[in-house]
Amino acid sequence: MRFLRDRFVALLLAALIAAVAAPAAQAASLAEALTKFTTDEFSDTAEAIADVAGSGDARATTIIEALQDGRLLYNGEQKTVFYKDKSGKLIDAATGQAVAGDPPANLAAVRINNRIRRSIDAALGELTLRAPDPAKRFDAAQAVFKSRDANALESLDAAIAKETDLRVKKAFAEARAAIVLYQAETSEADKLDAVAVVRARGDQDALQLLGGLPNETPASVRTAARDAVAAMQSQQAMWSTVQNVWYGLSLGSVLLLAAIGLAITFGVMGVINMAHGEMVMLGAYVTFAVQELIRTNNPGLFDYSLFIAVPLAFVVTGLVGILIEQGIIRFLYGRPLETLLATWGLSLVLQQAVRTAFGPTNKEVGAPSWMSGAFNIGQINVTYGRLWIIVFTLAVFAALLALLRFTRLGLEMRAVTQNRSMAASMGIRTARVDALTFGLGSGIAGIAGVALSQIDNVSPNLGQSYIIDSFLVVVFGGVGNLWGTLVGAFTLGIANKFLEPFAGAVLGKIAILVLIILFIQKRPRGLFALKGRAVEA
């Protein structure tokens, strides 16, 4: 019994000694590693990074991050190392204590080059492989995958065994495969397994990794890598096509939102409204004004700013549209050229008015938290902002269809669109319909400005970027036909994105214009011409 008691006491003492000695050993290891930073030699700096990362000290990540940001300083004479924290305070790297009084003289920043940057990435990756946050572990795995640091292999094996998050575990396996492929002493079977893992990843980084294997790689592994590269290139071509379709849908939703109001006014009234783009611009500035008021008075409402801006922009621009119709347009019916010139002049007046009120520079319009960020589907990156704009556009389109189909105003608008004289003879007040139609089209342009403020610069020239494309969409789809506008917007958006990689942005637009001109020669009324419309002189 006494023997067991003595044995227990001895084990307890050994544990206490180890607990006391471990921090001291870590401190000594860290201090010895830090002195290598003071030689101002890249080879010593690389060794110091590895030693600091392997010291097990809690300050290791902070010190290496300071080196990465240019905040790690040294005194070559005294062999001391310091770093500045994020607030600019000077900290002794060896003790972790803030430097009191004046900073030491002759401090210089530790120099880094591309090789050192790779060492830093690898060290930070290895240090964060065991971070409690899964997102940080995932980022660490990506860093190790790119650096292929063999020193991280043991840590990766341990991390893979303990990892429970499937996404992070897959990233760990990919990082391990990247290291294995570039390790000469690894068996051929392990390298073949690694090729399969990297091939499953399938992105550009994986393609570069398999395409740059060292010459001493076994022939069977190189053959498997070539097959994997060919398969990935084919897969990437497919994903590139899908990505272009997504970008085209995104652009098409913007074109639809900008053109849908124009389709109504152009179809019902036959007015070429060159000030339509300025209605879009006014809607964007309403959004800016709403956000400025919220920032000043109640920042907690910022996430709801767009919900406030949408109805307000519709009302403001709708009223402006009615004023324009009553004050200018109604005196110019039947004279399309004069209408075009008048609205073009009005667009210049509105632009200058906004410059006078808000200044000529771009205005900052923020994105609410629910519109920030992105997610991946396969190899497609989908931003929440663009996704919500597509959803919003389709909702506006559906609401407009419902208005035209189920309300008295919609019935009257359809009647005037098909035959103005017959509608007037049936008691429809066409002048009232014209005013409300112009207000509705302007209001929709205003809420288009709310959406565009999230993806474009809010400036007095915002509307000019979309007016020509809007007319192209309306003419191509069929004047006055909303379904034609929908199909035309998405068709032109997708076609634009497929032409841009080959012809460039400018030549791509020119090619689209030429194609539309040729199309209109064959179908003057566009894709979906309204049936039964009277042709008025």
Side-chain angles (χ1 to χ4, degrees):
M1 192 72 179
R2 183 175 180 181
F3 170 78
L4 291 175
R5 185 185 64 188
D6 292 343
R7 182 73 172 173
F8 175 75
V9 171
L11 289 173
L12 183 60
L13 286 173
L16 289 172
I17 292 170
V20 172
Q26 286 182 358
S29 175
L30 180 65
E32 183 180 347
L34 289 173
T35 59
K36 295 180 181 179
F37 285 122
T38 65
T39 64
D40 199 27
E41 296 288 343
F42 289 132
S43 57
D44 289 338
T45 301
E47 290 182 14
I49 292 170
D51 292 345
V52 169
S55 68
D57 194 282
R59 298 189 297 276
T61 301
T62 303
I63 292 169
I64 296 176
E65 285 179 345
L67 174 63
Q68 185 179 47
D69 298 338
R71 296 183 284 108
L72 192 67
L73 311 172
Y74 74 96
N75 184 304
E77 296 177 358
Q78 300 178 6
K79 301 294 182 183
T80 52
V81 179
F82 305 88
Y83 65 88
K84 290 182 179 179
D85 64 11
K86 297 297 175 67
S87 65
K89 186 182 296 182
L90 194 65
I91 309 293
D92 188 325
T95 63
Q97 300 297 317
V99 176
D102 295 331
N106 303 322
L107 289 182
V110 179
R111 296 183 303 138
I112 61 175
N113 58 13
N114 288 337
R115 174 171 166 256
I116 298 300
R117 290 187 184 93
R118 287 193 294 271
S119 298
I120 291 171
D121 290 341
L124 290 176
E126 186 175 352
L127 284 168
T128 51
L129 286 174
R130 298 178 296 275
D133 184 359
K136 289 185 176 180
R137 296 199 301 273
F138 181 83
D139 291 341
Q142 300 305 313
V144 174
F145 181 89
K146 292 178 181 179
S147 68
R148 303 189 298 273
D149 182 22
N151 295 324
L153 191 58
E154 186 176 344
S155 300
L156 273 172
D157 288 334
I160 290 171
K162 296 179 181 178
E163 186 58 58
T164 56
D165 188 301
L166 294 179
R167 175 171 173 263
V168 177
K169 192 165 189 172
K170 181 173 179 286
F172 282 165
E174 292 167 353
R176 185 185 187 283
I179 296 172
V180 165
L181 280 172
Y182 280 75
Q183 286 287 95
E185 59 272 16
T186 309
S187 70
E188 187 173 329
D190 286 344
K191 287 182 184 292
L192 289 171
D193 290 340
V195 168
V197 171
V198 175
R199 175 178 176 170
R201 178 181 172 117
D203 63 1
Q204 193 63 35
D205 289 332
L207 201 63
Q208 292 176 355
L209 183 77
L210 293 178
L213 293 178
N215 293 329
E216 60 270 18
T217 303
S220 61
V221 177
R222 296 179 69 84
T223 301
R226 280 196 299 270
D227 293 342
V229 166
M232 283 191 294
Q233 287 174 336
S234 175
Q235 187 181 43
Q236 285 188 359
M238 180 195 71
W239 281 113
S240 177
T241 300
V242 177
Q243 183 81 72
N244 280 335
V245 171
W246 164 250
Y247 287 153
L249 291 175
S250 178
L251 175 60
S253 69
V254 171
L255 294 178
L256 176 62
L257 206 53
I260 195 170
L262 188 63
I264 298 172
T265 56
F266 197 12
V268 174
M269 305 165 65
V271 172
I272 302 174
N273 178 20
M274 296 302 292
H276 183 78
E278 278 53 54
M279 300 298 105
V280 175
M281 178 262 293
L282 288 178
Y285 272 96
V286 168
T287 310
F288 166 72
V290 168
Q291 289 195 352
E292 283 297 295
L293 286 173
I294 288 176
R295 286 189 181 103
T296 303
N297 300 305
N298 195 342
L301 288 177
F302 187 81
D303 275 351
Y304 304 96
S305 60
L306 297 188
F307 294 105
I308 299 171
V310 166
L312 193 59
F314 180 83
V315 171
V316 169
T317 54
L319 290 175
V320 171
I322 291 174
L323 289 175
I324 292 172
E325 196 278 337
Q326 290 290 293
I328 299 174
I329 303 297
R330 73 188 183 100
F331 300 108
L332 301 175
Y333 286 128
R335 291 181 283 176
L337 181 59
E338 293 179 27
T339 303
L340 185 151
L341 293 174
T343 54
W344 175 257
L346 179 62
S347 73
L348 299 179
V349 171
L350 290 173
Q351 288 180 44
Q352 191 56 47
V354 168
R355 284 192 183 94
T356 303
F358 295 96
T361 57
N362 295 342
K363 298 301 178 183
E364 179 188 358
V365 174
S369 60
W370 48 273
M371 285 189 72
S372 303
F375 61 95
N376 291 324
I377 300 176
Q379 295 181 31
I380 300 177
N381 182 261
V382 179
T383 59
Y384 284 109
R386 290 280 186 176
L387 181 61
W388 279 115
I389 287 175
I390 292 177
V391 172
F392 177 69
T393 301
L394 295 177
V396 171
F397 183 80
L400 191 55
L401 284 178
L403 183 146
L404 293 176
R405 178 69 179 83
F406 299 110
T407 66
R408 179 179 178 82
L409 174 61
L411 179 64
E412 292 178 347
M413 285 172 59
R414 285 184 287 140
V416 172
T417 301
Q418 293 182 15
N419 194 317
R420 177 179 291 271
S421 300
M422 182 63 73
S425 68
M426 296 297 293
I428 295 176
R429 296 163 57 190
T430 57
R432 172 179 170 274
V433 171
D434 287 339
L436 293 178
T437 299
F438 205 90
L440 177 63
S442 299
I444 293 173
I447 62 178
V450 177
L452 290 176
S453 70
Q454 298 298 303
I455 59 174
D456 208 340
N457 295 323
V458 176
S459 71
N461 299 320
L462 173 64
Q464 293 298 305
S465 305
Y466 296 96
I467 184 64
I468 301 302
D469 287 337
S470 298
F471 274 109
L472 289 178
V473 167
V474 171
V475 173
F476 177 62
V479 175
N481 190 304
L482 290 185
W483 285 106
T485 305
L486 175 74
V487 174
F490 284 121
T491 301
L492 293 183
I494 293 172
N496 229 317
K497 288 304 176 182
F498 274 97
L499 283 174
E500 276 184 9
F502 304 102
V506 176
L507 289 178
K509 284 186 177 294
I510 293 174
I512 292 291
L513 179 59
V514 171
L515 290 173
I516 289 178
I517 292 172
L518 295 175
F519 177 80
I520 295 301
Q521 295 296 313
K522 294 291 185 183
R523 293 180 66 92
R525 293 190 179 183
L527 282 173
F528 300 94
L530 288 176
K531 296 179 180 179
R533 286 186 66 197
V535 180
E536 300 176 90

